[in-house]
Amino acid sequence: MKIRNTIMVVLFSLVMACLSALEVDVPNEIPAYENLTITLKPSASEGEVAQARFFFVQEGKRDPLYSEFSLQKGEWKTSLPYTYLKGEELTYYTVMQNADGQYFRDPQIGTRKARLLQDTTPPKLKLISPKTFDLVLDKEQLVVFEILDESALTDFSISIDGEPALRSGAFENYLSFLIEPKEAKDSEISVKLTDRYGNTSMEKYTFTVAGEKVPLFLANAKYRSKLELEYMLDMGKSANTTDIQTMFGDLDHTLNLSFLLGGNAYLKAGPIALELYGDLQDTVDVFTLTDAYPNTLQADLQNILNLYNPIDFANEFDYTGEVPRKYENDNQFYAKLSFFGPLFTYQFGDQKETFQKETINDMVFRGTSLGFDTPFFAFKVSKGLSDLGLYQVAWPQNFLGFQLKFKARSAWYLQTNLSFISSLQGRYADLKVSSATSDIGTLYDLGSVMPEQNMVLGLSTGIATSLVNVDAAFSFTLYNDNASTVLDVNQLATDLKDQTGTDVSTYVGYLDKVQSVFPILDYFLPTNGLVSGLVDKDAWGISYGVDATVPSLGMEAWVRKTDATYKSLGSSIPTDEFTFGASIERKLFGFDVSGGYSYDQDAIRDILFNDIIALVKPDLAPSDVPTSANEIAHIVHTGQLGVDTPSHPMLGTVGLDYTFTWETTNADALADKATDAAVKSAILTSTENDVTLTHTGELRYRSGRYKLGDVTLNFGAKTKDSYITELRVDGTDTDTTFWEFSYALTPSVSFSRYAINLGFDQAWSTQSGSLTTYGYDAKFAIKQTFFDTINLTASFDQAFKTSLEAYRIGGGLSLEKRFGLISTSAALEVSFYDSLTDNTEDALTSSLTVKGTFSR
């Protein structure tokens, strides 16, 4: 009887369970490329839902995953991201617990299944920006496409006219890349897309490239202003002492006022455009304010009066009534007038000029420039002050330059340029007065500071294709560091006729005619210094070389030779150098890989006589027999290999570099050519005759950013170690070896408004008598208190040999606070240095800086 009752209870429970109305709205066919939203609908008999979970089983996984239901607008719902919808079907079941603690399962036994529908449609693109398939010539633009596809992309590639687009990316359902067309022709864009279901499509588009379309009439203007007051108090800077009372008695106060008031305007009407720009900007010690002003403003006005007429050369060199410039300033002003865009431009005021990197490169000057630019031909002339000059510090320097350029769009160019830069300028009659001193010489009483003069001539050509870029350049300079004694050309001709019988008066007459129309010699006067430099062969310099790049491979190669006497006052390039080499830097499988080799040599002999004339007329070449040890050239061979791993959110990135350096000389080759035994001995035993071999490895690690709630952690470490072999020191063979080691650790942690950055480094060597140093640094920052930022810093450095030699302790506190347009800051720094070997080097110093800024 009991058994039958038990069976009846079980059967009744099963029947009631089968009649349970627990429902989840999962369809029989589910798109696997869309997020799945599931709604739970319990019946009244199951009561009120306390909690519920949707369990699903993934292929290859033994244990099911689940998603929690939540109450949303009166319904119990949960979402399953499409990334979990893998395979051919979804296997699932649902479990619910009501408010009374009872559990309900659907289905009661086993699982339910739904078919997963795969994405079979290839991705498509829709142009978002620009609105049409039109691009602007010579302007960087962002092209954005919307990705029309049911599933996410796993791979994409973009090519522009057959070359890969290096600056591109995909985010969510948008694909974008940067493009800067260089030619006014149609640009072909190809995009290959692959989604996570392997559907692949190739989209091709044609963009029309044309010049930027601008309105017929356009006008705008804006202004800017800034005022800053900075007070600095330095203590203990004048004398080395650790006495606190002495430190407080050694005070140096500075109160600087910085200001900016400026504006610019642009007006365009049809093909004519006018741009105006002006800034009154300076930083001056308040205690010298009355000396600096109105002097700097007067000097600026003098510049304008001297330069305003581009063809009035006489007025440019009229120094009568002028006052010397005593202070520098940052005032800038210019007016630029253009016709038909870049076809014709005229600019007056402050500007920057570049002809060729070896001659005139990014040279700032105040004056006038006139340019004419077409797709096949360009011409430019510029003149003005390249150095405004400071009383008892520097002579003013004038600049006159020309550039002539032929080109075929951006594919090929050939240009030449000629420039004159000189300190002492003007007509001979004005400079060589009866008192033997010039107006400008009297104005700028610089004493032993001599005026300079410089002429630079450049020639370069190059090609730029989608595969390779090549630039070849040659430049010649005449430089004289003492142009204080000016020669009278007519008197020079007379002297030549009297002393040698050579009559050059006819040529001087031609020169006078040219001078009357275009006064070149006002910019490059004949001087005694120039003549003596030509005689001694140290007035001229030559530089030539070739650079080539393969952009798609990240490769670069170069060869360049510049002699020691090459100098341009309008450019800064390495001189006294012969160098060649090649390098590569590119990304492979996500890794940044680099490598290269370079050869560098100094003590470059005069190129004009030793290379050019020797090639044309070998019998005129100077003798290659050395006469002293000063002709020793240092030669450096350098090889480098490096790799950086892709950045991983958790593992971070690792970088590794290896550098091989072989430093040697040509002393042995010179000694073999020496005919004098004393010279040969001096070369071989010279202190410049060293040979060193160095292997250097550098390992860098930067962790990812680990975020645990409000706590963020990251860590950095690096080590740089070298194995050095000294084969020869001061001409003596040694064959000694030693190691140099160093490493640094930089952990940091931030929590809410607080951040701590720590640093530790150590460097030591196995070389006898070397120092071992330790450095400890800490920075603690607090944000979003009453002050915007509070920074506390501390440092401790030590230096050891056999024992402690010296140590330094430093600390600082800085505060920053902003009130609308006003920002304020204060910084206090304290430093204590103690030398255990020389007490005269001990020092206790501190500085306080308080700053307030108003900007708009």
Side-chain angles (χ1 to χ4, degrees):
M1 186 67 177
K2 289 183 178 180
I3 294 175
R4 190 170 67 177
N5 290 339
T6 301
I7 293 174
M8 292 297 291
V9 171
V10 172
L11 290 175
F12 178 78
S13 299
L14 289 174
V15 171
M16 294 301 296
C18 291
L19 294 176
S20 172
L22 182 64
E23 294 182 11
V24 287
D25 59 345
V26 179
N28 293 328
E29 293 184 342
I30 303 172
Y33 42 80
E34 296 178 357
N35 295 338
L36 176 62
T37 300
I38 307 160
T39 303
L40 174 66
K41 298 179 180 178
S43 65
S45 62
E46 290 162 345
E48 183 181 350
V49 178
Q51 62 175 341
R53 292 177 178 178
F54 181 83
F55 290 85
F56 59 96
V57 181
Q58 286 191 307
E59 286 186 353
K61 301 290 184 179
R62 182 174 180 179
D63 298 324
L65 303 176
Y66 70 86
S67 180
E68 192 92 20
F69 284 92
S70 62
L71 189 61
Q72 304 175 22
K73 296 182 179 180
E75 293 184 311
W76 288 90
K77 293 184 177 183
T78 188
S79 294
L80 198 61
Y82 69 85
T83 53
Y84 289 102
L85 303 179
K86 300 178 180 180
E88 297 296 327
E89 58 184 14
L90 174 66
T91 303
Y92 66 93
Y93 63 92
T94 308
V95 176
M96 183 200 96
Q97 182 188 28
N98 64 16
D100 297 328
Q102 292 180 296
Y103 286 91
F104 298 88
R105 188 182 190 274
D106 178 60
Q108 290 288 331
I109 300 174
T111 58
R112 298 189 187 278
K113 294 184 178 181
R115 181 187 173 194
L116 294 176
L117 301 178
Q118 309 298 313
D119 177 16
T120 59
T121 305
K124 298 291 182 181
L125 295 177
K126 178 183 177 182
L127 183 64
I128 300 298
S129 177
K131 298 297 183 182
T132 61
F133 290 92
D134 297 300
L135 296 173
V136 179
L137 180 67
D138 291 327
K139 182 179 180 181
E140 187 176 73
Q141 297 139 86
L142 179 67
V143 178
V144 181
F145 285 97
E146 182 182 2
I147 305 169
L148 305 177
D149 192 55
E150 292 88 349
S151 52
L153 290 184
T154 56
D155 190 26
F156 73 92
S157 62
I158 303 173
S159 64
I160 304 173
D161 295 329
E163 296 297 320
L166 302 179
R167 296 178 294 174
S168 59
F171 179 71
E172 293 184 348
N173 60 329
Y174 291 97
L175 180 72
S176 61
F177 62 91
L178 286 169
I179 181 173
E180 186 176 359
K182 292 298 184 181
E183 296 185 57
K185 66 177 185 178
D186 291 349
S187 185
E188 302 292 334
I189 310 296
S190 298
V191 184
K192 184 179 180 181
L193 306 169
T194 304
D195 64 21
R196 71 186 188 95
Y197 289 97
N199 302 310
T200 301
S201 65
M202 176 66 77
E203 301 283 337
K204 293 187 177 181
Y205 305 94
T206 300
F207 284 82
T208 301
V209 179
E212 187 172 11
K213 297 178 181 179
V214 295
L216 183 64
F217 179 83
L218 180 64
N220 58 56
K222 61 181 180 180
Y223 76 95
R224 52 196 164 270
S225 61
K226 181 179 179 180
L227 183 65
E228 180 178 280
L229 193 62
E230 180 183 54
Y231 171 73
M232 292 176 288
L233 172 62
D234 293 325
M235 294 173 280
K237 292 293 182 71
S238 300
N240 289 347
T241 179
T242 57
D243 181 68
I244 295 179
Q245 185 175 355
T246 303
M247 182 196 73
F248 282 114
D250 181 14
L251 304 180
D252 182 13
H253 303 270
T254 303
L255 183 60
N256 287 333
L257 174 67
S258 300
F259 62 86
L260 166 65
L261 179 62
N264 55 279
Y266 180 80
L267 177 64
K268 178 184 178 296
I272 304 175
L274 174 64
E275 182 180 356
L276 301 174
Y277 180 97
D279 272 344
L280 290 176
Q281 183 176 4
D282 200 358
T283 297
V284 61
D285 189 332
V286 171
F287 302 111
T288 62
L289 188 61
T290 55
D291 291 332
Y293 287 88
N295 174 268
T296 57
L297 297 180
Q298 288 176 322
D300 286 336
L301 179 59
Q302 289 170 179
N303 297 155
I304 296 172
L305 296 177
N306 286 341
L307 301 171
Y308 78 96
N309 190 334
I311 61 173
D312 186 4
F313 288 82
N315 189 57
E316 182 169 348
F317 301 123
D318 182 8
Y319 302 104
T320 305
E322 296 189 10
V323 296
R325 180 186 291 272
K326 298 180 180 179
Y327 293 88
E328 290 184 297
N329 63 45
D330 297 314
N331 295 343
Q332 295 185 49
F333 61 90
Y334 69 80
K336 183 176 182 180
L337 183 65
S338 62
F339 298 87
F340 299 97
L343 181 65
F344 178 82
T345 58
Y346 168 76
Q347 183 168 338
F348 172 73
D350 294 311
Q351 49 198 296
K352 184 185 294 185
E353 189 61 271
T354 293
F355 291 156
Q356 185 178 322
K357 68 179 182 180
E358 298 85 5
T359 59
I360 302 298
N361 185 38
D362 287 339
M363 189 184 73
V364 176
F365 71 98
R366 174 171 291 176
T368 302
S369 67
L370 188 67
F372 182 76
D373 192 357
T374 72
F376 306 102
F377 170 78
F379 174 75
K380 182 178 287 187
V381 57
S382 302
K383 67 180 284 285
L385 286 166
S386 60
D387 190 330
L388 304 182
L390 284 177
Y391 180 60
Q392 293 184 337
V393 176
W395 291 87
Q397 286 184 348
N398 270 276
F399 159 66
L400 173 64
F402 311 85
Q403 183 187 43
L404 184 64
K405 188 173 186 179
F406 301 92
K407 54 185 177 176
R409 297 287 183 180
S410 59
W412 169 83
Y413 78 93
L414 171 66
Q415 69 86 31
T416 184
N417 59 90
L418 175 65
S419 299
F420 302 91
I421 308 172
S422 185
S423 300
L424 185 57
Q425 296 174 338
R427 291 182 170 83
Y428 175 84
D430 298 328
L431 293 173
K432 199 72 174 178
V433 295
S434 57
S435 61
T437 59
S438 66
D439 290 340
I440 189 174
T442 303
L443 184 67
Y444 283 82
D445 184 15
L446 302 184
S448 61
V449 180
M450 295 294 107
E452 299 173 290
Q453 60 180 175
N454 186 207
M455 183 194 78
V456 285
L457 171 68
L459 176 68
S460 66
T461 185
I463 59 173
T465 69
S466 58
L467 297 178
V468 63
N469 299 329
V470 180
D471 289 281
F474 171 88
S475 52
F476 173 83
T477 130
L478 283 176
Y479 171 74
N480 173 28
D481 61 359
N482 183 2
S484 58
T485 307
V486 184
L487 295 177
D488 185 342
V489 177
N490 293 300
Q491 184 62 46
L492 182 63
T494 301
D495 293 342
L496 284 174
K497 184 177 180 180
D498 293 342
Q499 297 175 14
T500 66
T502 305
D503 187 3
V504 295
S505 58
T506 302
Y507 300 101
V508 172
Y510 294 151
L511 186 61
D512 287 340
K513 292 180 180 179
V514 174
Q515 180 76 1
S516 63
V517 178
F518 196 79
I520 290 291
L521 288 185
D522 285 355
Y523 285 84
F524 204 69
L525 292 163
T527 64
N528 281 342
L530 179 62
V531 173
S532 62
L534 292 171
V535 173
D536 295 336
K537 299 181 182 180
D538 59 3
W540 63 76
I542 289 177
S543 176
Y544 64 89
V546 178
D547 296 281
T549 60
V550 183
S552 60
L553 300 179
M555 295 181 62
E556 180 181 5
W558 67 91
V559 57
R560 176 160 296 281
K561 191 172 186 180
T562 307
D563 56 29
T565 54
Y566 184 91
K567 184 167 185 179
S568 169
L569 296 174
S571 179
S572 178
I573 62 168
T575 59
D576 190 21
E577 179 185 65
F578 171 52
T579 177
F580 64 86
S583 66
I584 183 171
E585 184 175 344
R586 62 175 307 176
K587 189 177 289 290
L588 293 175
F589 307 107
F591 291 81
D592 292 320
V593 181
S594 63
Y597 165 79
S598 66
Y599 172 94
D600 296 280
Q601 177 181 336
D602 64 2
I604 306 303
R605 303 178 71 186
D606 174 73
I607 292 176
L608 179 61
F609 276 86
N610 289 275
D611 289 6
I612 300 176
I613 293 180
L615 185 64
V616 178
K617 196 75 173 175
D619 56 324
L620 294 180
S623 171
D624 61 352
V625 177
T627 57
S628 72
N630 294 331
E631 298 178 53
I632 292 178
H634 302 91
I635 300 171
V636 181
H637 303 265
T638 306
Q640 181 268 335
L641 292 172
V643 61
D644 287 272
T645 65
S647 180
H648 189 277
M650 293 296 294
L651 301 179
T653 181
V654 177
L656 177 63
D657 283 331
Y658 166 73
T659 304
F660 167 79
T661 306
W662 179 23
E663 301 174 78
T664 184
T665 69
N666 65 342
D668 292 339
L670 282 178
D672 291 340
K673 296 179 180 179
T675 57
D676 186 279
V679 172
K680 181 175 183 177
S681 175
I683 292 173
L684 293 177
T685 59
S686 170
T687 56
E688 299 297 318
N689 187 11
D690 296 337
V691 179
T692 305
L693 207 61
T694 305
H695 301 267
T696 301
E698 182 176 354
L699 180 63
R700 304 175 300 276
Y701 171 70
R702 189 66 184 174
S703 72
R705 295 178 63 87
Y706 309 121
K707 191 171 180 62
L708 306 172
D710 292 335
V711 179
T712 301
L713 305 169
N714 58 62
F715 177 77
K718 68 176 182 179
T719 178
K720 187 174 183 179
D721 310 302
S722 300
Y723 179 68
I724 301 171
T725 303
E726 292 182 336
L727 300 174
R728 185 180 300 162
V729 178
D730 295 343
T732 303
D733 294 337
T734 58
D735 198 19
T736 59
T737 62
F738 57 92
W739 286 89
E740 290 183 348
F741 300 98
S742 68
Y743 69 92
L745 307 174
T746 55
S748 64
V749 57
S750 62
F751 173 73
S752 183
R753 299 180 291 115
Y754 309 97
I756 299 176
N757 295 278
L758 304 176
F760 171 74
D761 61 83
Q762 181 184 359
W764 73 100
S765 173
T766 61
Q767 186 179 24
S768 176
S770 62
L771 279 175
T772 297
T773 62
Y774 297 88
Y776 309 84
D777 297 280
K779 180 180 178 181
F780 177 61
I782 308 175
K783 297 181 179 180
Q784 299 174 356
T785 60
F786 170 77
F787 295 99
D788 297 333
T789 306
I790 301 175
N791 288 313
L792 290 166
T793 60
S795 64
F796 179 56
D797 301 288
Q798 294 175 296
F800 289 85
K801 280 188 179 178
T802 56
S803 60
L804 181 64
E805 297 268 324
Y807 66 90
R808 184 190 302 274
I809 302 174
L813 168 65
S814 64
L815 308 171
E816 295 180 3
K817 178 65 178 177
R818 188 174 186 89
F819 303 93
L821 300 177
I822 300 176
S823 61
T824 60
S825 65
L828 174 66
E829 295 182 359
V830 180
S831 175
F832 173 75
Y833 178 78
D834 186 11
S835 172
L836 280 68
T837 60
D838 187 356
N839 291 334
T840 61
E841 295 184 1
D842 296 350
L844 175 63
T845 61
S846 65
S847 64
L848 173 66
T849 302
V850 181
K851 185 186 300 184
T853 305
F854 171 84
S855 60
R856 186 178 179 82

